[in-house]
Amino acid sequence: MEGSNLAAVWLTLKLAAIVTILLLILGTPVAWWLARTRSRMKSVVGAVVALPLVLPPTVLGFYLLVAMGPNGPIGRTTEALGLGTLAFTFPGLVIGSVFYSMPFVVQPLQNAFEAIGERPLEVAATLRAGPWDSFWSVVVPLARPGFLSGAVLGFAHTIGEFGVILMIGGNIPDKTRVVSVQIYDHVEAMEYAQAHGLAGGMLVFSFVVLLALYTFNPPSLKGIRG
């Protein structure tokens, strides 16, 4: 594999790993709130989280690009902090990927939290466990399949992104050129052999991920709703 392909693969894996960690940190409280709340805002928040499932990636990427630009709210904030704009940077890719892959982590977690029910938490309360202790000692172990599916699906989905990545990050070697964009470059240059190599690798990877989830963790897949 040539150097540019290896660089794209490494950047893609780095992006997917960082995004997956952030999604688990940010998505867990969102999923817990959606699973437990009776607020009228539940439907609105759930719809916002699920929006990337039906919204064209280029549309989401366009609005994120505008928001991160020099005239956007995020861009103005980062420039005021001396960070410059996030468009066409790796941190910008991370932010865009978090938004785009959010439902693939939140929905399996929400489904797992809802499946736990009230009884285990009531038992923990009778043993004088506080909310924080109950969550870590009762909820997290019981929801482990949801965490596993959310992490794997979030990672795999980030690796396969294209539209959002291209809109926010462009095509900068070693900075924003991930595998999906590299494949696009090879096709444009009519380098079909190299495109086949990368595309075939992504196809095998995606199949293995889904096969493993359907084989070892099938219940949590019910959390993905389009």
Side-chain angles (χ1 to χ4, degrees):
M1 185 180 294
E2 67 176 30
S4 60
N5 287 349
L6 285 174
V9 169
W10 164 245
L11 189 66
T12 304
L13 294 175
K14 178 182 174 182
L15 175 66
I18 293 173
V19 168
T20 300
I21 293 172
L22 291 176
L23 283 173
L24 289 174
I25 294 173
L26 300 174
T28 297
V30 174
W32 180 248
W33 184 83
L34 287 171
R36 304 282 296 174
T37 188
R38 295 182 180 178
S39 171
R40 294 179 180 178
M41 292 298 295
K42 177 179 179 178
S43 297
V44 176
V45 175
V48 171
V49 170
L51 199 58
L53 293 173
V54 296
L55 194 66
T58 50
V59 174
L60 178 61
F62 170 72
Y63 283 112
L64 286 173
L65 179 62
V66 171
M68 293 180 192
N71 297 320
I74 298 177
R76 286 196 296 266
T77 301
T78 55
E79 284 194 327
L81 295 173
L83 302 176
T85 57
L86 297 177
F88 307 110
T89 66
F90 183 79
L93 292 188
V94 171
I95 294 175
S97 298
V98 166
F99 276 102
Y100 191 50
S101 295
M102 182 68 75
F104 290 85
V105 174
V106 170
Q107 290 190 357
L109 284 176
Q110 179 185 348
N111 206 54
F113 291 153
E114 290 173 346
I116 293 173
E118 297 289 340
R119 182 61 179 168
L121 296 175
E122 292 173 353
V123 171
T126 61
L127 297 175
R128 298 183 179 180
W132 189 252
D133 291 335
S134 297
F135 182 81
W136 285 104
S137 61
V138 177
V139 175
V140 171
L142 292 176
R144 184 164 49 189
F147 279 100
L148 177 61
S149 285
V152 174
L153 287 174
F155 186 89
H157 189 253
T158 302
I159 284 180
E161 291 176 8
F162 176 71
V164 171
I165 294 291
L166 193 60
M167 290 293 290
I168 297 175
N171 187 1
I172 305 174
D174 300 324
K175 291 186 177 181
T176 62
R177 183 186 290 172
V178 295
V179 168
S180 57
V181 177
Q182 182 78 348
I183 293 173
Y184 178 77
D185 280 353
H186 285 317
V187 172
E188 273 203 323
M190 302 183 70
E191 298 169 348
Y192 295 119
Q194 296 188 51
H196 272 303
L198 287 176
M202 291 189 71
L203 177 62
V204 171
F205 171 79
S206 300
F207 176 76
V208 170
V209 167
L210 291 176
L211 179 63
L213 284 177
Y214 274 101
T215 302
F216 301 109
N217 208 25
S220 58
L221 292 176
K222 296 178 182 178
I224 302 297
R225 298 184 289 272

